[in-house]
Amino acid sequence: MSNFDALETRSADAREGAQLDTLNTILERLAGHAGSCLPDVGKLHSLSDIASLPVLRKSELSGWQKESPPFGGMLVGDIVHVFQSPGPIYEPGGVSHDWWRFGRYLHALGIGANDIVQNCFGYHLTPAGMMFENGARAVGAKVLPAGTGQTELQVQAAAAIGTTAYAGTPDYLKVILEKADEMAVPLSFSKAAVSGGALFPALRSSYEDRGILCRQCYATADLGHVAYETEAMEGMVVDEGVIVEIVTPGTGDSLPDGEVGEVVVTSLNPDYPLVRFATGDMSAIMEGQSPCGRTNKRIKGWMGRADQTTKIKGMFVRPEQVAALVAKHPEVTRARVVATRDGDQDAMTVRIEGDSAAHEVYAESIVDVLKLRASVDVVPSGSLPTDGVLIEDQRTYDT
């Protein structure tokens, strides 16, 4: 493997020590920053102490931004752009070297000084276009700021300039290639950096059949780059500039490696740090180290959304309520709400890993916490799957 820098192969102890020092510096600055969203928690002694900090959700960030525009009192340093995402939520942007940290991902894909990147991410209001452009500059590549749409012009430009790399959503490259086939115009794409949508195996294979190496990364508008595929093609290696946790959906409670839960990310960007930001996405930490030689943790990639809020019998049942039900009984290890249909009516069963003798106690707690009556199914500890699902909707409706 070719390293982007020495950070990729440092020991776990060296990584944790450096990240802890950076995080404590950020927390100290935030504590003294007027209007900061974070409480003054003092100095953390290990990265595991991060679990004592509150989780920051998009709804809270949006509310804080309305109270203290444009960034909710969060510490903001060297920025030159302001972007808007749905919510609306506003994100700052910088132009200094690899500000969003995409260079590491593009380097792993093999993009460098000899490449011209056709950047088909949007440049209008949202930050994706600038994120990938900033990363391309970090690896010395040239950029065609193509944006989205106007496919025929995209083909003409790609052919005329000789673009060698594509950046954009997974499916739009297919649109460009098929338009080029229709126009009988040969293109020179050999690499594709994709994100922002599902990369299905068949789609990846179709690019490989054309001689295009396609790899994806996981990123958000708020955080920038989070994790990326490498040549090992076993999960996604976590970026060196973030701390990733997997928690029980609706809570800040950390889950063991291998269990599916919500992705919570701390960005160590000193200009705009976000501490324990809940992405709303589901994934799991993979055990062991990547065969590619990079030593950071890996996640399994995107595994669905954490917001499983479901309306049952006219009432919303939320993941945080299920978590509160579990917390109410120390002997309970997991719970899962299952929504079904009983004739023309909704039915709800709550499966609980707990004490079978406490069946009636659990039934009362369900009414108290979930505000609904339910059938209770007490099962042995370890019976429920560790797939991160707290609310399972099995209902089907005949039309």
Side-chain angles (χ1 to χ4, degrees):
M1 96 180 205
S2 170
N3 292 339
F4 181 71
D5 57 31
L7 300 181
E8 295 180 349
T9 54
R10 56 185 167 172
S11 69
D13 287 344
R15 179 177 291 108
E16 178 170 340
Q19 290 184 336
L20 180 62
D21 288 344
T22 301
L23 179 57
N24 275 324
T25 299
I26 286 171
L27 291 175
E28 183 179 0
R29 293 173 65 191
L30 284 172
H33 185 64
S36 171
C37 313
L38 266 179
D40 184 359
V41 295
K43 187 175 182 178
L44 303 184
H45 299 289
S46 71
L47 278 190
S48 62
D49 292 342
I50 199 172
S52 66
L53 301 175
V55 169
L56 173 60
R57 300 197 173 275
K58 279 182 177 286
S59 58
E60 295 171 316
L61 184 58
S62 178
W64 285 327
Q65 288 190 348
K66 290 176 183 177
E67 294 174 4
S68 181
F71 303 119
M74 298 301 289
L75 182 67
V76 177
D78 182 20
I79 66 163
V80 295
H81 294 114
V82 178
F83 299 98
Q84 183 195 73
S85 294
I89 293 177
Y90 296 92
E91 299 96 9
V95 294
S96 58
H97 177 75
D98 210 18
W99 197 86
W100 282 284
R101 305 177 308 280
F102 280 81
R104 188 178 307 282
Y105 159 54
L106 298 180
H107 177 83
L109 179 55
I111 295 176
N114 295 324
D115 287 297
I116 302 174
V117 179
Q118 187 150 334
N119 187 4
C120 296
F121 282 106
Y123 280 78
H124 177 65
L125 287 180
T126 57
M130 289 302 299
M131 285 178 169
F132 277 80
E133 176 165 323
N134 186 260
R137 290 179 178 178
V139 297
K142 294 173 280 295
V143 178
L144 171 66
T148 59
Q150 297 183 300
T151 306
E152 188 169 323
L153 291 179
Q154 297 260 12
V155 171
Q156 292 172 355
I161 298 172
T163 53
T164 57
Y166 165 87
T169 57
D171 54 353
Y172 188 55
L173 175 57
K174 182 174 183 287
V175 175
I176 293 176
L177 294 172
E178 290 178 346
K179 176 60 72 172
D181 292 343
E182 178 186 315
M183 297 168 61
V185 174
L187 300 182
S188 303
F189 290 118
S190 61
K191 302 153 193 160
V194 303
S195 190
L199 175 57
F200 296 104
L203 184 60
R204 193 200 298 263
S205 294
S206 72
Y207 295 151
E208 291 175 351
D209 291 343
R210 291 175 177 262
I212 301 172
L213 176 63
C214 179
R215 293 187 192 146
Q216 61 187 327
C217 75
Y218 172 52
T220 77
D222 318 272
L223 297 161
H225 183 245
V226 176
Y228 59 109
E229 289 183 333
T230 72
E231 59 269 30
M233 293 302 293
E234 292 187 8
M236 292 184 172
V237 176
V238 173
D239 187 81
E240 297 294 331
V242 298
I243 300 167
V244 171
E245 304 169 78
I246 304 296
V247 306
T248 301
T251 78
D253 301 334
S254 297
L255 289 170
D257 290 357
E259 289 200 20
V260 179
E262 184 175 11
V263 179
V264 170
V265 181
T266 296
S267 167
L268 300 176
N269 182 339
D271 293 333
Y272 185 60
L274 290 176
V275 179
R276 300 202 84 199
F277 184 77
T279 64
D281 294 321
M282 301 280 277
S283 192
I285 298 290
M286 298 176 65
E287 296 181 356
Q289 181 179 307
S290 172
C292 72
R294 296 172 179 86
T295 56
N296 207 351
K297 293 181 179 180
R298 296 172 295 161
I299 60 173
K300 289 185 177 179
W302 188 83
M303 301 177 70
R305 291 292 294 170
D307 186 6
Q308 302 161 30
T309 299
T310 305
K311 183 177 280 189
I312 307 172
K313 300 180 182 179
M315 296 283 290
F316 282 110
V317 179
R318 306 178 188 279
E320 54 265 34
Q321 291 175 291
V322 183
L325 177 66
V326 172
K328 193 169 184 176
H329 300 279
E331 77 282 5
V332 172
T333 51
R334 289 189 185 88
R336 188 182 188 105
V337 171
V338 181
T340 56
R341 295 288 284 176
D342 183 6
D344 294 329
Q345 295 183 330
D346 287 344
M348 185 173 82
T349 299
V350 181
R351 304 186 68 202
I352 295 175
E353 293 182 358
D355 181 359
S356 59
H359 188 282
E360 295 303 321
V361 175
Y362 298 152
E364 292 176 3
S365 291
I366 290 167
V367 174
D368 180 45
V369 177
L370 304 184
K371 311 304 180 185
L372 289 170
R373 295 191 181 278
S375 299
V376 181
D377 182 14
V378 182
V379 300
S381 180
S383 299
L384 297 180
T386 58
D387 56 4
V389 176
L390 302 184
I391 304 170
E392 181 182 354
D393 194 346
Q394 297 182 353
R395 293 171 294 184
T396 58
Y397 299 89
D398 295 329
T399 56

